[in-house]
Amino acid sequence: MTNHSDTTGPFENSGISGPEPATGPSAHDTQVTLRTPAELADALPYLLGYRPEDSMVLVALHDRGGPGRFGGRARLGIPASEEDWEAAARQLARGLVTGSERRGTRPEQMVAYVCQEPARGETGRDVKRRLERLAHLLRVACGDLDVPVIEALCVSDGRFWSYCCPTAGCSPDDGSPMGLPGGSRGRRRRRKRPRTRKRPSGSRARRQGRTGRRSSQQRP
C-alpha cells in the first residue's frame, strides 16, 4: 500500500465531525509501500501525525487491484464501558465511509487499530486479549458497510499484535516490538555531528589575543 496525503480530520469523543477536504500530495511527500503487519503498525503515527493512545482507529484503503493507497483516517477514544463499544465501532466506520463517499472515494478495504497502554498490573498481552472484542466489532461494523478489514492490530506497551494472523506462529503471544522512529525496524539511525570548536569569550578571548600579539612581536 502506498502512503498518499489523502487525509480526513480526526473524529473525537464528542461526536464524529465532518471530514476535512482531502489534500493533494505536496512536493516533500514520500510514497512508502507497506506490506506486512509490522510496517502497518509502525506507520500509524505517521498516518495520523501523532501516536494515538487509548484509541480505536480506522484507515481506508483504495486501489485494491493496484499497489494500493491510503485514504481517510478516523479515530475515536475507546469508551470506558464495554457496553458502548459496539455503538462506537459503528459510529467510527460509518463516519469514515460516509466522509469518503462525499469526496467520491469510497474505501475498498480498511485497516483497524486498537491502541491502549496497560493499566497497573497489566501487560501488553493482557490489553491485546481485553481489546480483542473491540477489534472484532470494528471488523463487523466495516463488513456491514461492505468494506472488509484486511488487518486489525493491537498496539500496546511498545509492541503490536495481529488479530488477522492466518497461522498460529505469525503473531507471537508476547507480541512483536515496534520499530524505532527515524530508522529501519530494530535499528536507530544516528547522524554524526561534526565536531565544532568552542569560541573563547570575554576576558579569556582578550587574554589569548594579547598573548598572540606578544608572541608575534618576539619572533625574529
Side-chain angles (χ1 to χ4, degrees):
M1 280 134 336
T2 306
N3 183 8
H4 291 270
S5 57
D6 175 20
T7 309
T8 65
F11 301 134
E12 303 300 336
N13 291 333
S14 57
I16 292 182
S17 60
E20 298 174 0
T23 57
S26 62
H28 61 271
D29 281 338
T30 57
Q31 295 183 354
V32 182
T33 300
L34 306 175
R35 298 185 180 89
T36 67
E39 291 170 330
L40 289 169
D42 291 344
L44 182 57
Y46 302 98
L47 292 172
L48 295 181
Y50 59 92
R51 188 176 297 278
E53 297 180 359
D54 199 27
S55 300
M56 43 200 289
V57 179
L58 288 175
V59 177
L61 302 176
H62 302 278
D63 192 19
R64 183 189 305 183
R69 63 181 178 86
F70 288 114
R73 290 73 125 171
R75 187 203 71 86
L76 273 177
I78 297 175
S81 173
E82 292 189 25
E83 295 179 356
D84 299 326
W85 283 5
E86 183 175 359
R90 291 184 180 279
Q91 181 186 14
L92 188 65
R94 189 184 308 112
L96 180 54
V97 171
T98 301
S100 298
E101 286 177 336
R102 289 173 182 167
R103 300 198 313 273
T105 55
R106 178 180 172 82
E108 298 179 50
Q109 298 172 320
M110 292 279 197
V111 178
Y113 301 84
V114 288
C115 311
Q116 194 172 72
E117 290 303 294
R120 181 174 296 182
E122 273 192 324
T123 64
R125 182 167 57 178
D126 295 332
V127 175
K128 179 257 183 180
R129 290 172 176 170
R130 178 163 51 79
L131 297 182
E132 186 170 2
R133 176 172 170 265
L134 177 58
H136 174 71
L137 290 171
L138 285 170
R139 296 174 71 181
V140 170
C142 293
D144 288 345
L145 297 171
D146 295 325
V147 184
V149 172
I150 62 167
E151 183 61 82
L153 299 170
C154 175
V155 178
S156 180
D157 198 25
R159 308 182 77 82
F160 73 91
W161 291 259
S162 170
Y163 292 116
C164 298
C165 187
T167 61
C170 70
S171 184
D173 287 343
D174 292 330
S176 302
M178 301 284 289
L180 295 172
S184 59
R185 290 190 53 80
R187 298 175 60 188
R188 185 188 299 271
R189 295 178 181 176
R190 294 183 178 180
R191 181 179 298 175
K192 293 183 179 180
R193 292 184 178 180
R195 294 184 178 181
T196 58
R197 191 174 180 180
K198 292 184 178 180
R199 288 186 175 183
S201 59
S203 59
R204 183 181 175 188
R206 290 193 292 272
R207 288 197 302 272
Q208 289 182 355
R210 288 196 296 269
T211 302
R213 287 195 295 271
R214 287 198 298 269
S215 298
S216 62
Q217 291 172 359
Q218 292 174 2
R219 290 177 182 176

